[in-house]
């Protein structure tokens, strides 16, 4: 298959939210046909470089998904599903990125819902969308103690920590993460962003976090901004 | 088959089968004793000939007859009344096809409001902090032909509106008793391709209205096949009285074989008992009496069971619509009509409130949800009625178009089917084994098929202001820009030549 044709089909399958051949698309008649994972593999086998696949295929697809969302044609389920398809493509590319000595997408992010808090729908949304936007996300799950978050940030050499809290009783645990990072001398290497219903810009400033996002789109914007303006090696 | 309206899956039955029969029997007993008080001599003769007994009396200045209608006369009328009745339409795909044995519900306008509520956005400055805010300012204007045309045009645009029952009373200075009917019907027919329903104010005008409809359909035979006009006759004055003049109209329309709605609107607590049983027995007896006269005049003629029971307000004896009793009465009537296999004309959506707002929304959504659950064929008085049918608000009609959309999706089939179980189980299993355990991916198909209700679309995005009415106003302005689908130039020419009394200013092709 031609290079252009392969890239075009990656974009198309991102729009359809198809991770692999078993996934349904938004439209009918996709069953059994190659999805993003298979197409990315085929592209690599055909010697297409990872940068082209990423920029002209996966990211371009996600960009178009974003535009469709803006115009009201797409909804959150479409965005999430497309982001999952991008993630599936990224997984296939991972070994090649490392061997080529390239950076891991737009940066490494640790995501977690803070200690004593079990809410994760919003945090998952943010994780999936960050992945879809090209970030490498390690999601630690729910009810995660500050010490564990900081440990993971250190081990994974994270650029950013994203914290979620939905209870006004647990949001205070976000501050513990910032303090713990300071204690370990990691604070200047790792940015911290927060989100969840009870949090706000003001609260972020109060606890010394670097940013706040009111939704998953804001999360992407804030993360991109913070990692551009330094912080990333 | 028509795709309009909504099929209500498993209609709600307020009464058990025994209770239905009890209401039926009580109505039959009432039709015998005390019987009906009939002011129309021709109708009395018709009833007597069929086996009823009549006793002449004097009511004030008028002759009247106490008519006792035996069960077998009622039964015969119910046997000959058709189960299926179609309201025709200029565009055949807009026909309202009623089947008393089915459960498809259609929504239409109604009443003949004296006022039209104009809404204008105006900017105000807060005395507290100097902040500017836009508020809808309302003004009541007298109904007119122009407002009627605008209503019919709006009716054409609202996708959940199935039939147009003339909604504003035309009070122009050049409209009189003699020319009102032809102008009302023409205005409606010229601005919407959906079925037209109206009463006739002047019996003499019936002929002209029918002639006009025949010009449009191409003749009597075609009009009978596609009856683009349907008539309402309020032949009953509750309790249990047959009005002289309306009985004449009913018999004349029945002879023509055009669909007719037998309308009776007793008020629980004043002109009918307030308890459900008493109301149901009386309003049912009244409607049956009308159906009997119609079927005796022309057996097999299309007829619609038009019970419009309402409740009295206890502080002023006005009608009251947004209350549970109103729903009870109407749900029972829908059940009675289904029992008789006669299509049913019912009511929902009237606001007692005078202006659009929270009170109106509560009242309207309440009856919109309750009454259609029992699946009457027609719901009239929907779209824009306020102040207990005194006022029509086009913005309110735009809002209700979406309330009805909600009701329509509320009563659709559940989709719980044996053939689906396998898919449901494997979807849940797949999600349980996925990292985030989210079903969002699987919501897309239904979303694309339009099976997920998008939500009421008028909220706006300001956090400290209610923008609903302003948003509806914008939507209305947008809809009003649509080009009307007028009758053709040739048809209009013939109508204006042949039908007396039409006002030249209604002719869209006049220079
Ligand atoms: C669903 C829900 C639950 C579910 C959680 C299921 C799940 N898998 O997450 C269950 C039933 C388990 C639950 C339990 C409880 N809940 Co609860 N729950 C909710 C609810 C209704 C919705 C939350 C949600 O998922 N929203 C949808 C997502 C998409 O939005 P979101 O989470 O806000 O996330 C978005 C943004 O905030 C932002 N964001 C989120 N995280 C992050 C992170 C970053 C880094 C960034 C940049 C952005 C970001 O982006 C997201 C996407 O747009 C809220 C009500 C509300 N209005 O929020 C209550 C609510 C949060 N719960 C509440 C309560 C009280 C509880 C319980 C204590 C109830 C009880 N008595 O048992 C328990 C506590 C359990 C615990 N220890 O955590 C209260 C909290 C009040 C408070 N004290 O602050 C709320 C506000 C309800 C209320 N009004 O009372 N809950």
């Amino acid at each position: 298959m031609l290079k252009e044709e392969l890239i075009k089909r990656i974009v198309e399958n991102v729009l359809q939210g198809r991770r692999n051949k078993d996934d349904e698309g938004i439209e009918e008649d996709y069953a059994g046909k190659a999805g993003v994972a298979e197409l990315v593999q085929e592209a690599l086998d055909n010697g297409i470089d990872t940068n082209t696949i990423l920029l002209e295929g996966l990211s371009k697809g996600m960009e178009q998904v974003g535009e469709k969302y803006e115009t009201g044609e797409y909804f959150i389920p479409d965005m999430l599903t497309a982001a999952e398809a991008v993630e599936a493509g990224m997984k296939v590319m991972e070994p090649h990125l490392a061997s080529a000595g390239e950076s891991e997408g737009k940066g490494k992010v640790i995501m977690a819902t803070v200690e004593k808090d079990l809410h994760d729908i919003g945090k998952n949304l943010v994780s999936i969308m960050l992945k879809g936007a090209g970030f490498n996300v390690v999601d630690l799950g729910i009810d995660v103690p500050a010490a564990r978050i900081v440990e993971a940030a250190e081990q994974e050499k994270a650029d950013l920590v994203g914290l979620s809290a939905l209870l006004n009783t647990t949001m205070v645990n976000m501050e513990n993460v910032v303090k713990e990072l300071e204690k370990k001398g990691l604070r200047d290497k790792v940015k911290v962003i927060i989100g969840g219903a009870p949090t706000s810009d003001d609260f972020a400033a109060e606890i010394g976090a670097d940013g706040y996002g009111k939704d998953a789109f804001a999360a992407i914007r804030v993360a991109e901004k913070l990692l551009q303006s330094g912080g990333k090696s | 088959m028509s795709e309009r309206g909504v099929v209500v899956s498993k209609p709600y039955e307020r009464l058990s089968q025994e209770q239905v029969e009890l209401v039926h029997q009580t109505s039959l007993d009432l039709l015998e004793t005390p019987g009906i008080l009939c002011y129309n001599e021709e109708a009395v003769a018709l009833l007597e000939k069929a086996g009823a007994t009549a006793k002449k009396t004097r009511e004030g200045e008028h002759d009247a007859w106490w008519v006792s209608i035996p069960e077998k006369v009622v039964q015969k009328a119910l046997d000959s009344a058709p189960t299926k009745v179609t309201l025709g339409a200029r565009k055949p795909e807009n026909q309202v096809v009623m089947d008393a044995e089915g459960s498809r519900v259609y929504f239409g306008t109604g009443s003949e409001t004296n006022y039209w509520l104009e809404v204008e956005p105006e900017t105000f400055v807060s005395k507290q902090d100097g902040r500017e805010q836009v508020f809808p300012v309302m003004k009541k204007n007298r109904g007119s032909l122009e407002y009627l045309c605008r209503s019919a045009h709006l009716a054409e645009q609202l996708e959940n509106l199935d039939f147009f029952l003339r909604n504003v009373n035309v009070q122009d200075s050049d409209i009189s008793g003699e020319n009102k009917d032809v102008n009302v019907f023409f205005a409606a027919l010229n601005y919407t391709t959906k079925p037209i329903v109206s009463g006739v104010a002047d019996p003499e005008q019936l002929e002209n209205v029918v002639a006009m409809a025949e010009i449009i359909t191409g003749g009597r035979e075609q009009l009978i096949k596609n009856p683009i006009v349907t008539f309402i006759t309020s032949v009953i004055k509750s309790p249990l009285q047959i009005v002289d003049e309306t009985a004449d109209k009913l018999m004349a329309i029945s002879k023509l074989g055009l669909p007719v709605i037998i309308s009776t609107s007793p008020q629980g607590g004043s002109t009918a008992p307030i308890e459900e049983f008493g109301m149901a027995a009386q309003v049912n007896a009244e409607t049956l009496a009308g159906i009997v006269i119609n079927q005796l005049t022309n057996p097999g003629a299309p007829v619609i069971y038009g019970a419009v029971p309402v409740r009295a307000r206890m502080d002023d004896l006005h009608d009251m619509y947004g209350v549970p009793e109103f729903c009870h009465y109407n749900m029972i009537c829908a059940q009675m009509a289904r029992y008789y296999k006669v299509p049913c004309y019912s009511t929902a959506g009237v606001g007692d409130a005078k202006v659009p707002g929270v009170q109106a929304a509560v009242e309207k959504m309440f009856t919109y949800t309750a009454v259609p659950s029992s699946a009457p064929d027609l719901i009239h008085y929907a779209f824009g009625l306020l102040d207990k049918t005194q006022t029509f608000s086009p913005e309110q009609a735009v809002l209700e178009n979406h309330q009805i959309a909600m009701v329509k999706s509320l009563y659709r089939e559940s989709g719980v089917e044996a053939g689906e179980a396998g898919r449901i189980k494997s979807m849940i299993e797949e999600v349980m084994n996925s990292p985030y355990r989210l079903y969002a991916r699987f919501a897309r198909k239904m979303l694309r098929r339009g099976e997920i209700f998008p939500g009421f679309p008028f909220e706006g995005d300001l956090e400290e202001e209610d923008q609903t009415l302003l948003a509806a106003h914008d939507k209305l302005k947008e809809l009003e820009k649509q080009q009307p689908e007028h009758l053709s130039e040739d048809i209009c020419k013939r109508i204006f030549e042949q039908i007396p009394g039409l006002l030249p200013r209604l002719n869209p092709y006049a220079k």
Side-chain angles (χ1 to χ4, degrees):
Chain A
M1 203 185 302
L2 279 167
K3 179 183 142 188
E4 287 80 38
E5 177 63 20
L6 262 174
I7 295 290
K8 215 178 92 194
R9 281 181 54 197
I10 291 175
V11 172
E12 175 192 337
N13 277 279
V14 169
L15 282 163
Q16 293 288 333
R18 298 187 63 240
R19 293 163 301 192
N20 54 50
K21 62 177 176 19
D22 297 327
D23 277 343
E24 290 189 323
I26 290 177
E27 275 127 65
E28 300 299 329
D29 298 333
Y30 274 97
K33 291 184 190 156
V36 172
E38 292 91 357
L39 290 166
V40 167
Q41 187 59 55
E42 202 179 330
L44 291 169
D45 295 347
N46 279 281
I48 305 177
D49 66 283
T50 49
N51 224 19
T52 309
I53 299 174
L54 189 63
L55 294 178
E56 288 170 33
L58 301 174
S59 296
K60 179 112 165 273
M62 211 51 211
E63 241 168 64
Q64 291 183 13
V65 169
E67 283 161 17
K68 284 178 187 286
Y69 178 79
E70 294 286 321
T71 61
E73 185 188 337
Y74 270 29
F75 294 86
I76 292 288
D78 306 310
M79 299 277 278
L80 278 177
T81 314
E84 283 175 358
V86 170
E87 189 199 348
M90 293 295 282
K91 271 232 176 73
V92 176
M93 293 218 294
E94 234 162 56
H96 301 261
L97 289 169
S99 68
E102 284 174 28
S103 69
E104 298 186 62
K106 290 184 186 165
K108 187 145 223 179
V109 182
I110 303 288
M111 281 292 299
T113 298
V114 296
E115 190 165 13
K116 299 237 158 54
D117 199 315
L118 307 180
H119 297 83
D120 67 356
I121 299 172
K123 184 263 301 164
N124 290 347
L125 227 152
V126 172
S127 282
I128 296 171
M129 295 297 291
L130 283 175
K131 285 181 196 169
F135 289 91
N136 187 339
V137 179
V138 177
D139 191 329
L140 302 178
I142 53 174
D143 187 17
V144 190
R148 167 79 193 105
I149 296 172
V150 173
E151 181 190 68
E154 193 170 14
Q155 273 172 8
E156 301 279 348
K157 300 196 178 55
D159 304 295
L160 183 78
V161 166
L163 303 173
S164 182
L166 265 283
L167 301 171
N168 58 3
T169 49
T170 58
M171 64 196 258
V172 292
N173 295 331
M174 292 173 149
E175 192 173 1
N176 297 340
V177 177
V178 178
K179 283 195 183 135
E180 196 77 12
L181 281 170
E182 277 166 3
K183 234 195 269 168
K184 295 259 171 156
L186 293 167
R187 188 63 187 91
D188 52 342
K189 292 202 192 76
V190 186
K191 301 279 177 189
V192 178
I193 64 170
I194 63 164
T199 63
S200 63
D201 267 322
D202 291 347
F203 181 70
E206 200 182 304
I207 63 167
D210 302 294
Y212 155 81
K214 80 172 202 329
D215 56 30
F217 304 107
I220 296 172
R221 273 198 307 275
V222 176
E224 282 176 344
K225 201 170 137 226
L226 285 174
L227 297 197
Q228 253 166 30
S229 62
K232 189 149 149 44
S233 50
Chain B
M1 192 57 214
S2 173
E3 285 305 314
R4 299 211 62 92
V6 63
V7 175
V8 170
S9 67
K10 299 197 194 62
Y12 169 65
E13 292 180 346
R14 180 157 176 82
L15 302 186
S16 67
Q17 202 52 34
E18 296 81 69
Q19 287 173 313
V20 167
E21 276 154 25
L22 187 57
V23 171
H24 171 63
Q25 195 51 53
T26 309
S27 299
L28 291 178
D29 292 347
L30 291 175
L31 288 171
E32 284 211 55
T33 328
I36 52 166
L37 189 56
C38 183
Y39 290 80
N40 184 291
E41 197 166 2
E42 193 187 332
V44 173
L46 199 65
L47 287 161
E48 272 190 308
K49 207 176 132 214
T53 52
K55 204 168 120 232
K56 192 164 178 184
T57 175
R58 193 79 189 147
E59 286 282 318
E61 293 300 298
H62 302 279
D63 286 338
W65 291 262
W66 282 105
V67 183
S68 170
I69 308 175
E71 178 172 345
K72 64 175 197 310
V73 177
V74 177
Q75 201 48 59
K76 198 161 168 229
L78 287 173
D79 289 345
S80 64
T83 300
K84 295 189 171 111
V85 175
T86 294
L87 308 186
R90 266 174 61 200
K91 273 195 185 157
E93 65 266 32
N94 284 340
Q95 283 191 345
V96 162
V97 182
M98 292 179 281
D99 179 353
E101 287 180 292
S103 58
R104 193 179 283 275
V105 181
Y106 298 92
F107 296 84
T109 51
S111 188
E112 198 165 18
T113 69
N114 283 320
Y115 296 99
W116 165 286
L117 192 71
E118 209 61 81
V119 169
E120 268 311 320
E122 222 177 293
T123 306
F124 292 81
V125 179
S126 166
K127 273 190 178 172
Q128 263 171 26
D129 57 8
R131 195 161 59 114
E132 283 195 352
Q133 242 176 290
V134 181
F135 286 102
V137 175
M138 298 178 218
K139 186 168 179 288
K140 259 164 71 173
N141 294 330
R142 285 256 161 211
S144 68
L145 263 177
E146 193 203 321
Y147 284 143
L148 185 69
C149 294
R150 276 172 68 184
S151 303
H153 179 234
L154 177 61
E156 181 74 7
Q157 317 298 324
L158 298 179
E159 66 275 21
N160 295 308
L161 188 153
D162 302 310
F163 60 94
F164 181 67
L165 201 160
R166 54 90 184 90
N167 60 332
V168 286
N169 193 9
V170 298
Q171 298 155 81
D172 310 58
S173 56
D174 47 1
I175 287 289
S176 66
E178 286 95 66
N179 69 355
K180 182 177 170 184
D181 294 317
V182 285
N183 283 293
V184 165
F185 272 94
F186 180 79
L189 284 163
N190 195 35
Y191 278 88
T192 177
T193 65
K194 294 177 181 175
I196 304 297
V197 184
S198 177
V200 277
D202 178 4
E204 308 279 305
Q205 288 298 314
L206 180 62
E207 208 179 305
N208 287 328
V209 170
V210 172
M212 178 170 16
E214 283 173 7
I215 294 173
I216 296 169
T217 54
R220 174 69 53 95
E221 210 178 302
Q222 288 89 331
L223 178 62
I224 301 290
K225 268 194 215 133
N226 182 23
I228 58 173
V229 290
T230 294
F231 298 95
I232 321 169
T233 56
S234 303
V235 66
I236 309 288
K237 177 168 176 271
S238 298
L240 292 163
Q241 296 156 86
I242 304 271
V243 182
D244 187 16
E245 196 195 64
T246 338
D248 282 337
K249 289 187 218 168
L250 171 60
M251 290 183 287
I253 297 162
S254 305
K255 274 180 204 143
L256 290 168
L258 290 169
V260 63
I261 297 165
I262 308 289
S263 163
T264 168
S265 189
Q267 195 190 57
S270 66
T271 57
I274 199 160
E275 54 270 71
E276 284 174 69
F277 188 7
M279 166 59 92
Q282 181 187 308
V283 72
N284 185 50
E286 292 172 344
T287 315
L288 290 176
I291 293 175
V292 167
I293 294 174
N294 156 271
Q295 291 298 305
L296 287 177
T297 309
N298 183 1
V303 65
I304 297 151
Y305 181 106
V308 187
V310 301
R311 208 207 77 190
R313 251 186 107 97
M314 289 295 127
D315 52 356
D316 61 7
L317 281 201
H318 276 298
D319 282 359
M320 202 164 192
Y321 293 86
V323 285
E325 294 85 352
F326 172 85
C327 300
H328 292 155
Y329 299 161
N330 280 279
M331 291 192 287
I332 293 180
C333 286
Q335 233 185 312
M336 296 310 295
R338 186 181 306 282
Y339 174 67
Y340 297 135
K341 300 194 174 68
V342 176
C344 177
Y345 163 91
S346 189
T347 309
V350 181
D352 297 313
K354 294 182 182 61
V355 292
V358 178
Q359 176 81 19
V362 169
E363 291 166 350
K364 283 167 180 288
M365 207 59 211
F366 179 55
T367 59
Y368 274 141
T369 310
V371 178
S373 72
S374 55
D377 299 77
L378 304 177
I379 297 272
H380 91 307
Y381 275 2
F383 301 97
L385 292 189
L386 292 163
D387 196 6
K388 40 206 178 282
T389 76
Q390 288 294 333
T391 301
F392 174 78
S393 157
E395 278 83 358
Q396 183 67 57
V398 168
L399 293 172
E400 280 166 61
N401 186 44
H402 290 272
Q403 297 184 343
I404 290 169
M406 292 171 102
V407 171
K408 283 166 77 167
S409 67
L410 178 66
Y411 290 118
R412 64 165 187 233
E413 293 285 344
S414 69
V416 178
E417 288 160 28
E420 279 287 280
R423 188 184 65 79
I424 297 290
K425 284 186 285 190
S426 65
M427 169 175 68
I428 294 173
E429 199 185 325
E430 188 182 332
V431 167
M432 281 314 288
N433 289 311
S434 71
Y436 290 114
R437 303 205 173 102
L438 276 178
Y439 288 91
R441 157 180 301 276
F442 298 97
R444 295 178 304 157
K445 276 267 153 71
M446 279 182 78
L447 186 63
R448 281 295 165 311
R449 288 199 299 263
E451 290 170 1
I452 295 174
F453 196 80
F456 197 61
F458 294 101
E459 188 185 1
D461 45 20
L462 295 182
E463 293 202 359
E464 294 166 339
E465 265 176 50
D466 182 351
Q467 292 179 287
T468 314
L469 192 53
L470 294 171
H473 179 73
D474 290 343
K475 179 77 190 172
L476 174 69
K477 292 291 141 205
E478 184 192 316
L479 293 173
E480 290 203 316
K481 282 197 198 116
Q482 300 287 325
Q483 197 56 37
E485 279 199 51
H486 287 311
L487 294 160
S488 74
E489 185 160 7
D490 171 55
I491 297 251
C492 282
K493 187 164 167 275
R494 281 158 54 204
I495 289 176
F496 276 84
E497 276 166 13
Q498 292 171 37
I499 309 297
L502 283 171
L503 297 173
R505 64 186 165 97
L506 280 190
N507 188 346
Y509 304 101
K511 279 157 257 111

